[in-house]
Amino acid sequence: MDDFRWPVRVYYEDTDNGGVVYYANYLKFMERARTEWLREKGIEQDALLGQHGVMFAVASAQVDFLKPGRFNQQLLVSVCPQQIRRASAVLEQKVCRLSKSGGYSDVLCCGSIKIVCVDAVNLRPRPFPEIVRREILSDH
Amino acid sequence: MDDFRWPVRVYYEDTDNGGVVYYANYLKFMERARTEWLREKGIEQDALLGQHGVMFAVASAQVDFLKPGRFNQQLLVSVCPQQIRRASAVLEQKVCRLSKSGGYSDVLCCGSIKIVCVDAVNLRPRPFPEIVRREILSDH
Amino acid sequence: MDDFRWPVRVYYEDTDNGGVVYYANYLKFMERARTEWLREKGIEQDALLGQHGVMFAVASAQVDFLKPGRFNQQLLVSVCPQQIRRASAVLEQKVCRLSKSGGYSDVLCCGSIKIVCVDAVNLRPRPFPEIVRREILSDH
Amino acid sequence: MDDFRWPVRVYYEDTDNGGVVYYANYLKFMERARTEWLREKGIEQDALLGQHGVMFAVASAQVDFLKPGRFNQQLLVSVCPQQIRRASAVLEQKVCRLSKSGGYSDVLCCGSIKIVCVDAVNLRPRPFPEIVRREILSDH
């Protein structure tokens, strides 16, 4: 795949009593990858907040937890934009593990995350700033 | 609603820089409510593990984040079982906030969580122990 | 002990791969107890922020992790104020587990947490509002 | 300094309602650095567990929170071993922020973390495996 990918290492903090990655933590991994995907495009969210008064909120998440991740594994998290609207976008994301054959073909978790651009003060939807819109569309 | 409900208080640990509850934490709140719902039925998950060698894993989650929760708010989290199968069940859950009119009518977050009963050693699906099945069905 | 005590249940989210409570989470449990201790005295931190423009920050923590806590255990977290100064206080806290003999004599974790009252805008120390000072001293 | 250093980026998940890094999360950052410090020495903790049946537990932490870290900042976390004993070691750790002059001279948080090598089954102290001891001492 040609999607953006970000490496994430599994630490103790990410695991639970079942000996696997605690499922809600995959949402954190996915967010790290979204943040780095934006950064790669030159979009820093603290600057967006300071200059445009907006931030990104997650409006919905549909996630399938397919296989367990484990302590110390090296994972790769991908980001692929879909359905880009005026103030929202759906991102398809996968969390993969290095498989024995060397690639990252083992999908541990995949999902669709809908983010909305919101006003930092009243949290109401606001159109994406033009620079964000252009950069997100460039991946599409 | 007649569903099981469990109170959750929002602490600093649950919030983020946006001044609201960090969205992935609603999944934790929902799990606390599921655990207490089982406990109310006499099902202790550590005993289940010890006696039956099974635990519950989350197979998928579909969650809508509707309104922001905030520091110090008192929330109520509901659990309502749907689609109960041999080794899995879908639970409808809502996280509500005390509204000004006194009830818990403000829904912050709602979702469908599919849990699977798995073998604690190999993490493969295993039918619910009979006692669990009976208790879950009693709510249905 | 006559200290304030707050019950905390151990959920999956609190545990790690070692099968025990992840050590950094005891700091969260201690903070929940501090928040409830203040609430019992009529001090709501969101109101403090709105009315006085201050919040509490943790300046230092010295914590000993003595015994492992485990999934599903019921814990009690105590708060006992020491060294109360103009803008800071040290709180002695313990996290105990219900022991087989019935009491909460098993100490899992104990520590000294120094909190500082800070201005919410510039994060500089500010004297405790009088109502907070009076209530904290009443325990001393 | 010549200590081992590991970069950590501050994401939304790490912040709280006060607009800063939630203090307990510095303990997670410090643990990530300890894990990577061991990895750099060729010590993988999952292999240690599989081959020697031991893991590392945190016995105590003394941490000073000096300055607030913020969303999106790039931090560096250092590890410097002190007091190495048969089954325990104290590690001095600092979390620094890139300062305006370009270096990592701004210390946000510093602390002493005592880790103990424990048996993975009964959690009792066990001497460090020889390879671990040798590698840790090499830094001292």
Side-chain angles (χ1 to χ4, degrees):
Chain A
M1 58 182 170
D2 286 311
D3 304 338
F4 176 82
R5 290 159 160 221
W6 184 253
V8 167
R9 176 71 72 166
V10 179
Y11 296 110
Y12 256 89
E13 63 182 273
D14 304 311
T15 60
D16 71 19
N17 192 39
V20 301
V21 173
Y22 183 69
Y23 68 103
N25 290 335
Y26 288 110
L27 291 177
K28 297 184 177 181
F29 297 170
M30 287 175 168
E31 186 178 85
R32 294 181 200 173
R34 294 196 301 272
T35 300
E36 299 299 339
W37 167 69
L38 289 169
R39 195 189 317 286
E40 198 206 38
K41 296 173 172 309
I43 301 168
E44 296 286 346
Q45 291 178 76
D46 49 354
L48 262 193
L49 179 60
Q51 292 162 21
H52 296 270
V54 295
M55 52 190 194
F56 302 138
V58 174
S60 67
Q62 205 291 316
V63 185
D64 292 313
F65 305 97
L66 306 170
K67 289 182 183 180
R70 293 185 187 276
F71 171 66
N72 222 21
Q73 285 178 340
Q74 183 69 50
L75 310 179
L76 264 198
V77 189
S78 64
V79 183
C80 178
Q82 309 280 339
Q83 299 177 38
I84 300 160
R85 302 248 160 78
R86 235 173 114 251
S88 71
V90 173
L91 305 170
E92 298 294 326
Q93 299 202 256
K94 280 183 193 159
V95 181
C96 298
R97 177 182 58 190
L98 188 66
S99 63
K100 275 157 194 165
S101 57
Y104 280 87
S105 53
D106 257 7
V107 181
L108 300 185
C109 168
C110 63
S112 297
I113 311 293
K114 183 180 180 183
I115 59 164
V116 183
C117 184
V118 298
D119 184 284
V121 175
N122 62 26
L123 303 180
R124 296 244 172 85
R126 284 248 311 259
F128 286 120
E130 187 48 34
I131 182 180
V132 174
R133 189 175 165 76
R134 200 185 326 134
E135 289 293 342
I136 292 181
L137 281 171
S138 75
D139 254 22
H140 197 40
Chain B
M1 59 180 169
D2 287 310
D3 304 339
F4 176 82
R5 292 160 157 219
W6 184 253
V8 167
R9 175 73 71 166
V10 178
Y11 296 110
Y12 256 90
E13 63 182 274
D14 304 311
T15 61
D16 72 19
N17 193 38
V20 301
V21 172
Y22 183 69
Y23 69 104
N25 290 336
Y26 288 110
L27 290 177
K28 296 184 177 182
F29 297 170
M30 288 175 168
E31 187 178 83
R32 294 181 201 173
R34 293 195 301 273
T35 301
E36 299 299 340
W37 168 69
L38 289 170
R39 196 189 317 285
E40 199 206 36
K41 296 173 173 308
I43 302 168
E44 297 287 345
Q45 290 176 78
D46 49 354
L48 261 193
L49 179 60
Q51 292 162 19
H52 297 270
V54 295
M55 53 191 193
F56 301 139
V58 174
S60 68
Q62 204 293 315
V63 185
D64 292 313
F65 306 97
L66 305 170
K67 291 183 183 179
R70 292 184 187 278
F71 172 66
N72 223 20
Q73 286 177 338
Q74 183 69 49
L75 311 178
L76 264 199
V77 189
S78 64
V79 182
C80 177
Q82 309 278 339
Q83 298 176 38
I84 300 160
R85 302 248 161 78
R86 238 175 112 251
S88 71
V90 173
L91 305 170
E92 297 295 326
Q93 299 201 257
K94 282 184 191 157
V95 181
C96 299
R97 178 182 56 190
L98 189 66
S99 63
K100 275 158 194 164
S101 57
Y104 280 87
S105 53
D106 258 7
V107 180
L108 301 185
C109 168
C110 62
S112 297
I113 310 294
K114 183 181 180 183
I115 59 165
V116 183
C117 183
V118 299
D119 184 285
V121 175
N122 61 27
L123 302 180
R124 297 243 172 86
R126 283 249 309 259
F128 286 120
E130 187 48 35
I131 181 178
V132 174
R133 188 175 166 76
R134 200 186 326 135
E135 289 293 340
I136 292 181
L137 281 172
S138 74
D139 255 22
H140 197 38
Chain C
M1 57 181 171
D2 287 313
D3 304 338
F4 176 82
R5 290 159 159 218
W6 184 253
V8 168
R9 176 72 71 168
V10 178
Y11 296 111
Y12 256 90
E13 63 183 273
D14 304 310
T15 60
D16 71 20
N17 192 39
V20 300
V21 172
Y22 183 68
Y23 69 104
N25 289 337
Y26 288 110
L27 291 176
K28 297 185 177 180
F29 297 170
M30 287 176 168
E31 187 179 85
R32 294 181 200 173
R34 293 195 302 273
T35 300
E36 299 299 339
W37 168 69
L38 289 170
R39 196 188 319 283
E40 197 206 35
K41 295 172 173 310
I43 301 168
E44 296 286 346
Q45 290 177 78
D46 49 354
L48 261 192
L49 180 61
Q51 292 161 19
H52 297 270
V54 295
M55 54 189 192
F56 301 138
V58 173
S60 67
Q62 204 291 316
V63 185
D64 292 313
F65 305 97
L66 304 171
K67 290 182 183 178
R70 292 185 188 277
F71 171 67
N72 222 20
Q73 286 178 339
Q74 183 69 49
L75 310 179
L76 263 198
V77 189
S78 64
V79 182
C80 177
Q82 310 278 337
Q83 299 177 37
I84 301 160
R85 302 246 161 80
R86 236 175 112 250
S88 71
V90 174
L91 304 170
E92 298 293 327
Q93 298 200 257
K94 280 183 192 158
V95 181
C96 297
R97 178 182 56 191
L98 190 66
S99 63
K100 276 160 193 163
S101 57
Y104 280 88
S105 54
D106 258 7
V107 181
L108 300 185
C109 169
C110 62
S112 298
I113 311 294
K114 184 180 179 183
I115 59 165
V116 183
C117 183
V118 300
D119 185 285
V121 175
N122 61 26
L123 301 181
R124 297 243 173 87
R126 283 249 310 260
F128 286 119
E130 187 49 32
I131 184 183
V132 174
R133 189 177 165 73
R134 199 186 327 134
E135 289 293 342
I136 292 182
L137 281 171
S138 74
D139 255 22
H140 196 40
Chain D
M1 57 180 171
D2 288 311
D3 303 339
F4 176 83
R5 290 160 158 218
W6 184 254
V8 167
R9 176 71 71 166
V10 179
Y11 297 109
Y12 257 90
E13 63 182 273
D14 304 311
T15 60
D16 71 21
N17 192 39
V20 301
V21 172
Y22 182 67
Y23 69 103
N25 289 336
Y26 288 110
L27 290 177
K28 296 185 177 181
F29 297 170
M30 288 177 168
E31 187 178 85
R32 294 182 200 173
R34 293 195 302 274
T35 300
E36 298 300 339
W37 168 69
L38 289 169
R39 195 187 320 282
E40 198 206 37
K41 295 172 173 309
I43 301 169
E44 296 287 347
Q45 290 177 79
D46 49 354
L48 261 193
L49 179 61
Q51 292 162 20
H52 297 269
V54 294
M55 54 189 192
F56 301 139
V58 173
S60 68
Q62 204 292 314
V63 184
D64 293 312
F65 306 97
L66 305 170
K67 290 182 184 180
R70 291 185 188 277
F71 171 67
N72 223 20
Q73 285 178 339
Q74 183 69 50
L75 310 179
L76 264 198
V77 189
S78 64
V79 183
C80 178
Q82 310 280 337
Q83 298 178 38
I84 301 159
R85 300 247 162 80
R86 237 175 114 249
S88 71
V90 173
L91 304 170
E92 298 294 326
Q93 299 200 256
K94 280 183 193 157
V95 181
C96 298
R97 177 182 57 192
L98 190 66
S99 64
K100 276 159 193 163
S101 58
Y104 281 87
S105 53
D106 259 5
V107 181
L108 300 185
C109 168
C110 63
S112 297
I113 310 295
K114 183 179 179 183
I115 58 164
V116 183
C117 183
V118 299
D119 185 286
V121 175
N122 61 27
L123 302 180
R124 298 245 171 86
R126 284 251 308 259
F128 286 120
E130 187 48 34
I131 182 180
V132 174
R133 188 176 166 75
R134 201 187 325 135
E135 288 294 342
I136 292 181
L137 281 170
S138 75
D139 254 23
H140 197 38

